[in-house]
Amino acid sequence: MSTKADTLPASQGEPITASASPVEALPKGTKRKRSRTADVSKSSNVSEGAPGPAPPKPSPNKRRRKDSPLAAADEAIHQSQPEDEIETQKKRKQAEKAALRASKAQEKASKKLLEAAEKKRKREERAALKAIREERKKAEEAEKKIKREQRAQKKTWKKDWEAFVEAHDVHGETVDWAEDEEKEGITQTDAGKVYGLKASELVCLKHHPRFNFKFGNTTKLFDEEEVRRMAWRKVAMLAGVQGGGTAEEEDALIAKGKKMWEDG
């Protein structure tokens, strides 16, 4: 431990001196021994301060050299595995790959089957719609044909009726009714309203002229029984009923017309 000497004033001219403990010099080539206290203080400084630099880690990407101990250990482990186990692992991997390929192929085949089924369904639906349209068209054409035939038949039957009226025209021939003869007379107007006979069709029947004192003209009276038979004949002939050549055919024709008239 060093001690300070008294310092004299500069005016007295005395120099300042200091005494220190002498340090022994070591011989050349001799190392100084480290004291225990220095090691302890250094260790305390390390523990109290920041940690020292970490040792470098080996890079994982660095390939092992063939002559390195780790490579030799891996080779030893690989050689220590039985060949049967290695072959089993290979077969298992191959089986997994084959199963994956089969699954993908099956999925693809199922997709193709679904697409084919959908296309088939659409084709069948289009074919069914086409068949329905064709059937409807055929039905419409058949109905039109029937209507054309019916119109043609009605025209023919109407011509037959007109020919009958023309052939049996009495040209306004009259008949006198005795005063004591009981007949149901019907006028031309009532014959049209009740039995649907036109004035041009009543020319087939004889009429009885009767003077109308109220209006000062002559009224035509027709025998109502003859008018009824005429109306029934008209209905039958316009419906296509043929006959009337003989008395029996005439009666059959009138009977059919009467039934049609009553049935409405």
Side-chain angles (χ1 to χ4, degrees), residues 25-238:
L26 295 177
K28 188 177 182 180
T30 305
K31 293 183 179 180
R32 185 185 298 274
K33 293 183 179 181
R34 297 176 62 183
S35 64
R36 186 177 184 85
T37 57
D39 294 339
V40 171
S41 63
K42 187 175 182 180
S43 62
S44 63
N45 291 334
V46 171
S47 61
E48 292 176 0
K57 295 181 180 180
S59 175
N61 297 328
K62 187 175 181 180
R63 298 181 61 183
R64 296 173 181 174
R65 296 177 57 184
K66 293 183 179 180
D67 55 351
S68 65
L70 294 176
D74 291 342
E75 185 66 21
I77 292 172
H78 180 72
Q79 291 179 359
S80 64
Q81 292 180 350
E83 293 183 359
D84 295 341
E85 184 178 353
I86 296 173
E87 189 67 22
T88 302
Q89 291 178 358
K90 289 182 179 179
K91 289 182 178 180
R92 185 173 66 251
K93 290 181 180 180
Q94 291 176 357
E96 290 176 355
K97 290 181 180 180
L100 182 60
R101 288 195 299 269
S103 177
K104 290 183 178 180
Q106 186 177 3
E107 184 179 356
K108 188 176 181 180
S110 300
K111 187 177 180 180
K112 286 184 177 180
L113 289 175
L114 290 175
E115 291 177 354
E118 182 67 16
K119 289 180 180 179
K120 183 179 179 181
R121 185 187 65 79
K122 289 182 178 180
R123 286 197 302 270
E124 291 177 352
E125 185 177 355
R126 288 194 296 268
L129 291 175
K130 185 178 179 181
I132 291 172
R133 287 194 295 268
E134 290 179 354
E135 290 294 332
R136 187 179 300 172
K137 186 177 180 181
K138 289 180 180 179
E140 291 176 355
E141 291 178 354
E143 186 177 357
K144 289 179 181 179
K145 183 179 179 181
I146 292 172
K147 288 182 178 180
R148 287 195 300 269
E149 292 176 353
Q150 289 178 350
R151 287 194 296 268
Q153 287 178 349
K154 288 181 179 180
K155 287 181 180 180
T156 302
W157 299 336
K158 186 177 181 181
K159 288 180 180 179
D160 293 342
W161 166 247
E162 291 174 353
F164 174 83
V165 172
E166 185 178 359
H168 294 79
D169 188 357
V170 296
H171 302 287
E173 187 177 350
T174 61
V175 61
D176 292 333
W177 293 344
E179 294 181 1
D180 57 348
E181 188 176 3
E182 295 182 0
K183 285 186 177 291
E184 294 181 2
I186 185 172
T187 63
Q188 179 175 291
T189 303
D190 292 339
K193 291 180 180 179
V194 177
Y195 298 103
L197 291 175
K198 300 177 183 178
S200 60
E201 296 170 341
L202 291 172
V203 297
C204 298
L205 302 177
K206 297 178 182 180
H207 69 277
H208 172 69
R210 178 178 291 180
F211 184 76
N212 190 343
F213 292 96
K214 183 178 181 180
F215 297 101
N217 58 359
T218 301
T219 303
K220 293 181 180 180
L221 291 178
F222 297 91
D223 187 349
E224 190 168 0
E225 180 62 25
E226 293 180 357
V227 172
R228 280 195 292 266
R229 289 177 65 86
M230 188 72 173
W232 295 338
R233 174 187 286 276
K234 178 181 178 180
V235 172
M237 291 187 69
L238 290 180

